[in-house]
Amino acid sequence: MGNPGPTGFGGVLRKSDGSWILGYFGNLDSTHLITLIKEEEDLTYYEHASIILEIRQLLRRDWEVEIHHILREGNT
């Protein structure tokens, strides 16, 4: 398969009724992105810092959230 190119990330946040709250996407190492979202690491020099900060704020709300990493091979 070789190098298939840059790794993309994206996600959708929806209310329990399925209505849209927020969508986001970009290019970054996906496992690193999950770490950046879950941990309070300094984001001063990250291109997508504003999106990551917004995701962190949403995760602090009183609701159940699951974050999953899906391998490229399983995301078809």
Side-chain angles (χ1 to χ4, degrees):
M1 181 178 210
N3 183 351
T7 301
F9 70 87
V12 176
L13 299 173
R14 297 180 182 269
K15 295 180 182 178
S16 60
D17 65 2
S19 62
W20 177 273
I21 297 174
L22 170 76
Y24 57 92
F25 66 94
N27 292 309
L28 183 69
D29 180 294
S30 55
T31 54
H32 187 220
L33 176 64
I34 291 173
T35 301
L36 291 175
I37 290 172
K38 289 182 172 183
E39 297 179 8
E40 293 297 324
E41 187 174 325
D42 180 30
L43 300 174
T44 303
Y45 300 105
Y46 287 99
E47 177 183 359
H48 302 291
S50 62
I51 295 171
I52 295 168
L53 290 170
E54 190 167 351
I55 294 167
R56 284 179 182 174
Q57 288 176 352
L58 289 166
L59 291 173
R60 288 187 191 106
R61 293 185 181 180
D62 185 26
W63 53 17
E64 184 178 327
V65 176
E66 296 179 12
I67 298 176
H68 300 277
H69 177 258
I70 300 172
L71 295 174
R72 183 184 306 265
E73 296 80 13
N75 192 17
T76 57

